[in-house]
């Protein structure tokens, strides 16, 4: 008895010293969504400083790229690039360059100039561009109007009416930046999400992170829960920002650049051939890719969208069609 007790005490002290640490949580409204951060760290006050620098980075990116802030770099470019080349930061140039890469890859399904018409929509107020305005502006919706010079870091719009918006890529970019900060700070287990874009660093200390894909028509339910680690996942759906119009059509925030209207909301639309998607999740190494890809697949529809992801190494997709059926790329089909 006398001998065992101190030994047990010693062992338990030693093991608690080994696993010393805690999960740290932080939540904040930034970029028009909830940013969630969870990570493991041994030192509480150090963890607070790390949280602050991660959230500071989200706020910095929002201040540069928000279309709702008059003084953002994006707003300035939208006001001036129609008149001729304007200087842009290397960061903005790299995000536009990535966007253009996806425009080429998707034959224009992903196109940040959708905003030429899309910026006339207000989903909270239930406002949209009328038919005449849409037709008038449609020729200005075209990524080929973007003249990006990556040596000089300048941008010009060939059509003076063109506007850009980075809502389909900025949050994926931001979660990657957050993970880079966490890694530089020595963090090895973390989950960061900004709305539909999440990135996981390591696992949840011995078990995978469980990521829910929301049921697109029932907020309280998950359509699927997937175990993931060390990866990014982005979800695009027609249920995040939308209103229902007088004809009972869902007017949502993901645009088909070839029509200048929300994707697949044509009254005689393509729901019958099951190509219309209502939720798209893409899994891959970085949010900078999964974010534009989820938007792209949504616009392309089931067959073309899944084919796009099948053709990319290291990416998988889970899609839900308008009949609430779920489909996967081949790497997830077990
Ligand atoms: P969320 O913003 O809910 O995460 P997505 O990642 O799918 O969803 O991004 C949708 C956003 O992308 C829209 O709110 C808009 O800012 C932008 N967007 C909409 N249609 C397109 C498009 N065809 N190409 C590029 N960006 C788009
Ligand atoms: Mg996206």
């Amino acid at each position: 008895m006398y001998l065992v007790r101190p030994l047990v005490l010693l062992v338990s002290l030693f093991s608690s010293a080994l696993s010393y640490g805690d999960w740290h949580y932080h939540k904040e409204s930034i970029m028009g969504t909830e940013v969630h951060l969870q990570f493991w760290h041994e030192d509480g006050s150090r963890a607070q400083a790390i949280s602050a620098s991660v959230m500071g980075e989200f706020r910095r990116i929002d201040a540069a790229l928000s279309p709702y802030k008059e003084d953002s770099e994006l707003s300035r470019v939208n006001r001036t690039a129609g008149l001729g080349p304007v200087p842009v930061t290397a960061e903005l140039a790299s995000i536009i360059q990535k966007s253009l890469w996806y425009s080429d890859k998707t034959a224009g399904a992903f196109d940040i100039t959708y905003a030429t018409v899309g910026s006339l929509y207000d989903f909270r107020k239930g406002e949209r561009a009328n038919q005449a305005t849409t037709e008038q502006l449609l020729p200005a919706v075209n990524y080929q109007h973007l003249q990006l010079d990556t040596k000089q870091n300048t941008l010009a719009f060939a059509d003076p009416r063109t506007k850009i918006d980075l809502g389909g890529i900025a949050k994926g970019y931001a979660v990657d930046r957050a993970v880079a900060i966490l890694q530089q700070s020595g963090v090895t287990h973390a989950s960061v999400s900004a709305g539909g874009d999440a990135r996981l660093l390591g696992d949840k200390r011995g078990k995978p992170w469980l990521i829910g894909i929301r049921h697109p028509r029932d907020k309280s339910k998950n359509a699927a829960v997937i175990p993931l680690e060390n990866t990014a996942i982005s979800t695009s759906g027609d249920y995040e920002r939308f209103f229902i119009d007088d004809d009972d059509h869902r007017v949502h925030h993901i645009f088909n650049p070839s029509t200048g209207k929300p994707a697949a909301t044509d009254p005689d639309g393509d729901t019958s051939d099951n190509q219309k998607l209502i939720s798209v999740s893409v899994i891959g190494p970085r949010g900078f890719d999964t974010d534009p890809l989820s938007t792209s697949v949504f616009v392309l529809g089931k067959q073309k969208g899944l084919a796009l992801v099948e053709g990319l190494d290291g990416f998988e997709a889970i899609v839900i069609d308008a009949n609430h059926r779920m489909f996967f790329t081949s790497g997830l089909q077990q």
Side-chain angles (χ1 to χ4, degrees):
M1 259 326 238
Y2 271 113
L3 273 172
V4 173
R5 277 255 170 104
L7 222 157
V8 169
L9 190 71
L10 241 164
V11 167
S12 69
L13 270 177
F14 187 61
S15 67
S16 80
L18 267 182
S19 67
Y20 184 67
D22 249 320
W23 287 109
H24 299 273
Y25 301 87
H26 197 97
K27 187 177 87 174
E28 204 170 314
S29 292
I30 316 174
M31 302 180 93
T33 191
E34 292 269 274
V35 175
H36 288 261
L37 168 63
Q38 178 181 352
F39 63 103
W40 180 267
H41 205 278
E42 293 76 31
D43 176 345
S45 65
R46 183 79 192 101
Q48 259 190 344
I50 294 169
S51 279
S53 70
V54 168
M55 292 299 160
E57 179 66 357
F58 276 101
R59 275 185 249 107
R60 184 191 67 78
I61 293 170
D62 188 36
L65 305 184
S66 171
Y68 305 109
K69 297 190 158 102
E70 288 278 301
D71 60 348
S72 70
E73 184 180 13
L74 183 93
S75 295
R76 177 181 58 77
V77 163
N78 273 334
R79 283 192 301 267
T80 55
L83 307 169
V86 294
V88 291
T89 56
E91 181 174 50
L92 182 57
S94 76
I95 299 171
I96 292 170
Q97 190 177 27
K98 186 72 149 184
S99 301
L100 290 172
W101 192 86
Y102 278 106
S103 299
D104 271 333
K105 192 81 189 161
T106 62
F110 189 84
D111 187 337
I112 57 175
T113 70
Y114 89 90
T116 307
V117 180
S119 61
L120 302 174
Y121 283 62
D122 187 324
F123 297 96
R124 263 181 242 160
K125 292 189 189 151
E127 287 171 6
R128 63 171 143 192
N130 64 33
Q131 184 65 23
T133 308
T134 303
E135 279 170 24
Q136 222 172 25
L137 287 176
L138 201 54
V141 177
N142 190 337
Y143 65 96
Q144 284 163 350
H145 293 324
L146 302 181
Q147 301 168 336
L148 178 69
D149 181 336
T150 51
K151 289 206 181 76
Q152 304 287 329
N153 283 340
T154 62
L155 176 67
F157 300 156
D159 188 309
R161 300 169 300 174
T162 298
K163 301 267 181 291
I164 59 170
D165 182 293
L166 300 171
I169 189 167
K171 284 181 282 158
Y173 171 73
V175 298
D176 286 352
R177 294 281 311 155
V179 163
I181 291 173
L182 292 163
Q183 283 178 308
Q184 282 157 20
S185 311
V187 172
T188 49
H189 304 277
S191 158
V192 193
S193 68
D197 299 290
R199 180 133 170 222
L200 309 164
L201 176 58
D203 66 356
K204 204 176 179 184
R205 289 181 39 91
K207 47 189 178 185
W209 296 94
L210 296 178
I211 302 301
I213 294 177
R214 231 181 76 186
H215 188 293
R217 295 293 178 264
D218 184 346
K219 269 187 193 175
S220 66
K221 283 192 199 152
N222 277 327
V225 177
I226 336 172
L228 292 172
E229 50 191 65
N230 245 332
T231 194
I233 176 166
S234 293
T235 299
S236 293
D238 66 0
Y239 52 86
E240 275 304 339
R241 278 195 284 149
F242 71 96
F243 63 89
I244 305 289
D245 74 5
D246 296 339
D247 299 326
D248 234 20
H249 292 129
R250 180 179 287 253
V251 182
H252 63 82
H253 67 140
I254 303 174
F255 287 78
N256 184 340
S258 67
T259 63
K261 294 178 186 175
T265 51
D266 189 286
D268 320 305
D270 43 12
T271 48
S272 56
D273 62 12
N274 298 327
Q275 292 307 310
K276 184 185 168 183
L277 299 176
I278 62 174
S279 171
V280 174
S281 300
V282 174
I283 302 169
R286 286 167 307 274
F288 205 23
D289 293 291
T290 58
D291 190 2
L293 272 172
S294 67
T295 310
S296 300
V297 173
F298 191 102
V299 175
L300 287 169
K302 189 180 101 191
Q303 196 197 335
K304 285 184 191 161
L306 287 175
L308 168 68
V309 179
E310 285 290 352
L312 294 170
D313 241 14
F315 292 86
E316 301 293 342
I318 300 160
V319 304
I320 302 174
D321 74 6
N323 300 317
H324 297 192
R325 288 183 309 177
M326 200 180 271
F327 300 87
F328 307 89
T329 47
S330 52
L332 292 175
Q333 263 158 16
Q334 30 350 24

